[in-house]
Amino acid sequence: MKPPVQPGTPWTEHYETLRQHVLAGRAQLAAEPLGLGLVCRRGLAGWMGAWRQASAPPAEPLPLPARGPVTAGWHRELTLLLAQMTAPHLPSLLS
């Protein structure tokens, strides 16, 4: 079964880049082409499926979580928290 080819999908270009890389014994291209590891691990069908997913329109963004109330002393609380996280590492840094 052939995957549907969407307009603007460079299937042929990507495939030919991989093919050239393999046939030339890696001497022609300076770096491994995009997707070579995927072809080796999942085969050509997995590679084509990944390109289809990558070229799909993005899903709707997730809504941002609601912000909690900001208290008046948040600067002090944050400073104390960071100091508590950092203090145990100071003796090893100063030695």
Side-chain angles (χ1 to χ4, degrees), residues 6-38:
Q6 300 171 356
T9 305
W11 289 101
T12 307
E13 293 173 29
H14 294 301
Y15 175 77
E16 287 301 323
T17 302
L18 286 171
R19 185 176 166 275
Q20 176 188 2
H21 180 72
V22 171
L23 292 177
R26 301 178 184 200
Q28 295 281 332
L29 301 174
E32 290 187 357
L34 190 62
L36 181 63
L38 187 60

Side-chain angles (χ1 to χ4, degrees), residues 66-72 74:
R67 291 181 141 184
V70 178
T71 60
W74 72 270

